[in-house]
Amino acid sequence: MSTSIEQDIIALLKNGNKKAISLLYEHYSGALLGVVRKVISDEDIAQDVLQESFIKVWKKGKTYDPSKAKLFTWLYRIFYNSAIDKVRSLKNKTNKEVQIEDSNVYKLTTNSLNQDTLDIQKHLSSLELKYQVVLNALFFEGMTQQEASEELNIPLGTIKSRLKIGLRELKKIYNP
């Protein structure tokens, strides 16, 4: 059950009212900065991600669906994913330099590539749907076990069991 302030913020977001952002910032910025700081230790970069994420929230506000996730869960995912994206983009900038003399690209043969690992989606689809859903959420959508539990409306213990069984079944496919 959401609080009245959450309901007010949701209504303002849906209507495109700018007051929604100031209320979101007032009530959630501390917690959301904490979410970002879990991923990014640099304070300046974390503050930038916080501001960029609030812009994303403003742009996506009309698409928020309270029946799919609580307001904080929705915000959490936007801010956490933005922080991950920032780390990746910073990492990509530092890894742009190409070292041709150390490259082994031309030494690769098709025998050295395990063809089975290239089509994991095909093998994943051979599992029962309940395992597919959990593995998809955790590995391809980047959810934590807790987030998957909330998003899929499945108890956390069941998520863990299905993950374990699903991985065991995939292992049978890759290592018969």
Side-chain angles (χ1 to χ4, degrees), residues 8 18 26 28 44-45 52 56 61 64 69 71 84 106 110 114 117 128 131 143 162 165 170 172-173:
D8 292 345
K18 292 180 181 178
E26 180 183 332
Y28 294 101
D44 292 334
I45 296 172
E52 291 166 8
K56 286 180 185 177
Y64 170 66
L71 180 62
I84 295 291
Y106 300 107
T110 55
N114 182 348
T117 57
E128 285 184 55
Y131 304 124
M143 292 184 200
R162 289 181 183 175
I165 294 167
L170 280 177
K172 289 178 187 176
I173 294 169

Side-chain angles (χ1 to χ4, degrees), residues 104-117:
N104 63 356
V105 169
Y106 300 107
K107 298 173 191 167
L108 274 179
T109 64
T110 55
N111 295 340
S112 64
L113 296 174
N114 182 348
Q115 295 297 320
D116 290 336
T117 57

